[in-house]
Amino acid sequence: MAVFIPTIEVRGGKRSLLSLSIYLYICMVLVCIPVLGINFDLESTKTRCVMDILDKDVLATGEFTVSTGSTDSTHVNIRVIGPNSEEVFRQDNIRSGKFGFTATLPGKYSACFTNEGMIRHSINFDYRSGVEAKDLTGIIQTEHLKPIEAEGLRISEAL
């Protein structure tokens, strides 16, 4: 019994539709892989924010790096603000860091970078929420956890 594999003419010779289909499938998978972070320039005395709408009890994590040509202080601050304007996370004069929290209310959460210096900086920011969020339990602040989560964390640290 012979198996017929259709072929098509392409530059450089004939190719089977099967190999072309496999090639296209691999290309589609690679295109669908999400970008892991965003990079942007933060001009002097400017603020740029990344916003996400979260449901209650959704985990959100972020990692950030500030690039500068100088070894001096960066004068770049990060603040994460919740839907009722409460400060979820803050760090001043950052070079790099991580944060994580569980949303206590549904709504818009904003991670804002502010450059209070006179030099432009490049920011690399990797933000994830929900199932895409990395497990960064070591950096999640206890006050942002539900009571049962905080107790579990306390017990695991005791072991």
Side-chain angles (χ1 to χ4, degrees):
M1 177 174 170
V3 176
F4 174 73
I5 299 177
T7 61
I8 58 171
E9 284 286 327
V10 293
R11 190 184 326 182
K14 290 185 177 184
R15 300 273 187 219
S16 75
L17 286 179
L18 180 61
S19 65
L20 184 60
S21 296
I22 292 170
Y23 175 76
L24 289 174
Y25 176 76
I26 290 171
C27 288
M28 287 186 339
V29 168
L30 292 175
V31 168
C32 292
I33 294 174
V35 176
L36 297 178
I38 38 179
N39 296 304
F40 57 91
D41 287 334
L42 188 58
E43 300 295 330
S44 173
T45 68
K46 300 291 182 191
T47 298
R48 293 193 70 183
C49 298
V50 176
M51 293 170 235
D52 192 11
I53 297 175
L54 300 175
D55 290 326
K56 185 177 183 203
D57 298 327
V58 171
L59 175 65
T61 62
E63 296 183 51
F64 49 88
T65 305
V66 177
S67 299
T68 179
S70 170
T71 58
D72 297 336
S73 179
T74 63
H75 302 290
V76 174
N77 307 324
I78 181 175
R79 289 181 64 204
V80 179
I81 306 297
N84 61 354
S85 300
E86 87 277 10
E87 192 172 86
V88 176
F89 176 82
R90 178 187 184 109
Q91 189 173 352
D92 295 333
N93 296 320
I94 60 171
R95 287 215 179 266
S96 64
K98 299 177 183 181
F99 68 84
F101 64 92
T102 301
T104 56
L105 296 170
K108 181 175 75 172
Y109 287 78
S110 303
C112 298
F113 294 86
T114 302
N115 184 354
E116 296 178 346
M118 294 294 140
I119 300 171
R120 179 181 69 177
H121 297 286
S122 294
I123 310 292
N124 180 304
F125 184 47
D126 183 6
Y127 170 82
R128 298 174 187 258
S129 63
V131 295
E132 289 86 22
K134 294 179 181 177
D135 181 17
L136 298 177
T137 54
I139 57 134
I140 296 175
Q141 298 173 3
T142 305
E143 63 266 18
H144 298 293
L145 299 175
K146 292 189 281 185
I148 191 77
E149 293 171 323
E151 183 64 17
L153 185 58
R154 186 187 67 73
I155 291 170
S156 68
E157 288 176 354
L159 298 177

